[in-house]
Amino acid sequence: MPHAEITTLATLREAEAGCTRCPLYRNATQVVPGEGPSRAKVMFVGEQPGNDEDLAGKPFVGPAGRVLDRAIAEAGLDRTTIFVTNAVKHFKFEPRGKRRLHKKPNTYEIDRCRWWLEHERAIVKPELIVALGATAARSLFERPVVIARVRGNVVEREDGTRLLVTIHPSYLLRIVDARDKAAEYRRFVSDLKICAETLANAA
Ligand code: URA
């Protein structure tokens, strides 16, 4: 149940800045709130901020964000109209020398951070939510989800929320073989085209 005093993105940001709901706030530089129009028709949910996002305080501004931006544009969508956020709002990492290596959030952290995602959903009220990867899908479905089984299909939950699951763009960055990479990128763009078509049909 969302907090009664958090009714705007501004009040939400303020509340998120003081988040201590799980231990991740201790080592991160700052919380990374969702970003985009408060009346966006579509919300994209990633996993958690990466190194660049942690430093900038903004979601998807690093390498995965650049892949996402390119795919969004190729799918005929406009990022400035999308509310972009993450399932987990603080960067989880392991120090390795001078570098900070990304560590996957665990179920406890995802569950504790759903509180913020629920506020974002209650304020923005998107027609469609796109889950980018397994962590986002885990948060939105409240259970583990096998991406390969559900990707590319718009599913409606009991509360009427429409969800579309696809891969996380950082998966594309990890593919070494150029042909595989290109094929997977095209599949990602196709999934985002389904998002564009769903929004166009709802208009
Ligand atoms: N990966 C994510 O899941 N979110 C970001 O904001 C950046 C990278």
Side-chain angles (χ1 to χ4, degrees), residues 7 9 29 39-40 61-62 65 79 93 95-96 98 102 109 117 128-129 150 152-153 158 164:
T7 53
L9 291 177
T29 307
R39 287 284 167 264
V61 293
R79 173 158 173 175
F93 62 91
R96 195 67 69 76
K98 283 192 183 152
H102 164 277
E109 291 149 357
L117 186 56
L128 179 66
I129 303 179
V150 292
N153 295 313
E158 313 83 66
L164 174 67

Side-chain angles (χ1 to χ4, degrees), residues 131-152:
L132 301 167
T135 298
R138 169 82 183 74
S139 179
L140 291 159
F141 284 91
E142 299 186 32
R143 60 176 167 80
V145 171
V146 179
I147 301 296
R149 272 202 213 133
V150 292
R151 78 177 288 184

Side-chain angles (χ1 to χ4, degrees), residues 7 9 47 96 101 116 123 127 165 181 186 190 197:
T7 53
L9 291 177
E47 182 185 76
R96 195 67 69 76
L101 296 188
W116 299 120
I123 294 166
E127 288 171 19
V165 178
K181 203 188 203 49
R186 280 196 301 277
S190 302
E197 281 159 21

Side-chain angles (χ1 to χ4, degrees), residues 119-185:
H119 279 85
E120 290 174 322
R121 288 175 55 184
I123 294 166
V124 178
K125 299 185 185 69
E127 288 171 19
L128 179 66
I129 303 179
V130 178
L132 301 167
T135 298
R138 169 82 183 74
S139 179
L140 291 159
F141 284 91
E142 299 186 32
R143 60 176 167 80
V145 171
V146 179
I147 301 296
R149 272 202 213 133
V150 292
R151 78 177 288 184
N153 295 313
V154 177
V155 293
E156 195 159 325
R157 277 181 18 160
E158 313 83 66
D159 65 358
T161 309
R162 285 192 296 171
L163 297 175
L164 174 67
V165 178
T166 183
I167 54 146
H168 192 284
S170 66
Y171 164 65
L172 299 169
L173 296 172
R174 292 193 298 270
I175 302 175
V176 179
D177 182 85
R179 260 205 283 173
D180 290 349
K181 203 188 203 49
E184 280 304 320
Y185 176 75

Side-chain angles (χ1 to χ4, degrees), residues 57-79:
K58 287 167 169 289
F60 282 106
V61 293
R66 286 191 282 281
V67 176
L68 179 63
D69 285 350
R70 184 153 72 92
I72 282 174
E74 275 185 45
L77 292 160
D78 173 358
R79 173 158 173 175

Side-chain angles (χ1 to χ4, degrees), residues 30-81:
Q30 58 192 317
V31 74
V32 178
E35 185 181 70
S38 60
R39 287 284 167 264
K41 288 188 175 162
V42 59
M43 178 179 281
F44 278 29
V45 183
E47 182 185 76
Q48 63 162 342
N51 185 64
D52 293 347
E53 290 79 14
D54 170 78
L55 297 174
K58 287 167 169 289
F60 282 106
V61 293
R66 286 191 282 281
V67 176
L68 179 63
D69 285 350
R70 184 153 72 92
I72 282 174
E74 275 185 45
L77 292 160
D78 173 358
R79 173 158 173 175
T80 64
T81 67

